Amino acid sequence: MRAAAPIDQAVAVGNDVHWIGAFDPDLRSFDIILRTANGTSYNAYVVRGSEGVAVIDTVKANFSAGFFRRLESVADYDEISTIVLNHLEPDHSGALPELLRRATRATLHVSHQARPMLKGLFDPEEFADRIVSVGTGDVVGLGDRQLEFFNTPYLHWPDTQCTWLASEGMLFSGDFLGCHYCDERLFNDAVGDFRFSFEYYYAHIMRPFRAYVREALELIEPLPIRTIAPAHGPILRDDPQDYVRRYRALSKSGLHNTTAKTLIVFYISAYGATRRMAEAVAAGAEFASGEVGAAGEVRVSLYDIEGSEPQPFVDLIEEADALMFGSPTINGDAVKPVWDLLSSLTMVDVKGKLGAAFGSYGWSGEAVPMIEDRLRRLKLRVPVPGVKARLTPTADEFAACHELGRQTALHLLGRATPRVIDMSALV
Ligand code: FEO
């Protein structure tokens, strides 16, 4: 017999801890980009202490009615002393303004980064004396138990934090360690196999912030966690450390040699001209590595985009220090496989990496500046102007490709000659 959460009743998830969230089984995409094959849940919780009640997170606005009915099944509004918002995105803050109006004694606890964002949800003046911002190590008491806060920013917004209930060994982790998986049986040992959802969620939500994932893991790994109560998906009460270990593994660098700089040249070629330009670029980058010698190594790899789906390239891009893209211009544009790969850069952290572009063309050659523009908008640095060549590249154009690779590699190694900007050229 399938045990599901009773309608409009809170569900006990620990000693005087209840789930009061909402199920959204019909959702098929989240934030437009995430697929949600069986929907999602918006998890919210109530923690009762001897001298107060805390509500941790709320739900998406259109699920507010059920949230309040579940809340009312375990607490009176006058008992609520604390409201914690681990994250302000609307799927968790939708019912917050109304909760603040109903629970008139409650103080709202958010991260320092969240506080200035509150004005996007309500007029902060309305609750000005009831808002407290907190950071790692701050606590709020509920009498015989207390909540402790951990500042864990960029998981996946600047405001995100985790809340720790030591008496229960329970971590309210927000989006962190969650997933879009809707099952009213609620607990990881009661629902089906949701590994695909857990890892898909990591790849699309957390992966671009993996440095912050690792920082957050440093904070929570020492905790004697018995339950992870995330803001989406199953509550992780069976072997919660297994999920922490999975995040540790997923956020780990895949490189074994971490001293060499990594430069990847991606290209696609219709008649072989852009391919030969790519080979010249790669040779130039390797030449720079030889020039610098023991002072630095650049590991250069060359990939024909036609030879793979974008996903394996995303893994390479995540680890690379420099990315160079070669595309022909067809109908005034770079070709679709290049744009497909460039669109996947949003899945990983590329900010600050080096970028460059090159390619052959027939009669216009827009691909190179278009790629450079895209790279800059993704916050890559593009220190060396790209190279384009009409039809079959000349010896001078191959030499320019070689120099593009060489200069990009020298930038990677911190050996590039500073560019002199002719101010008159900017007028
Ligand atoms: Fe579940 Fe980032 O909101």
Side-chain angles (χ1 to χ4, degrees), residues 237-318:
R237 67 182 178 186
D238 181 59
D239 196 5
Q241 297 296 348
D242 183 44
Y243 300 89
V244 176
R245 286 192 295 272
R246 279 200 228 171
Y247 259 44
R248 177 57 82 178
L250 290 166
S251 62
K252 185 168 164 265
S253 170
L255 290 179
H256 292 282
N257 176 358
T258 53
T259 57
K261 297 288 187 185
T262 302
L263 184 152
I264 301 181
V265 182
F266 294 107
Y267 70 93
I268 190 163
S269 189
Y271 296 100
T274 301
R275 176 178 59 77
R276 291 170 63 207
M277 293 173 79
E279 289 164 353
V281 165
E286 283 182 340
F287 182 80
S289 198
E291 275 182 287
V292 172
E297 180 193 347
V298 176
R299 183 171 35 203
V300 184
S301 302
L302 190 64
Y303 295 103
D304 185 343
I305 295 170
E306 238 186 314
S308 175
E309 298 295 322
Q311 187 55 44
F313 288 145
V314 173
D315 295 339
L316 302 177
I317 288 166
E318 184 172 42

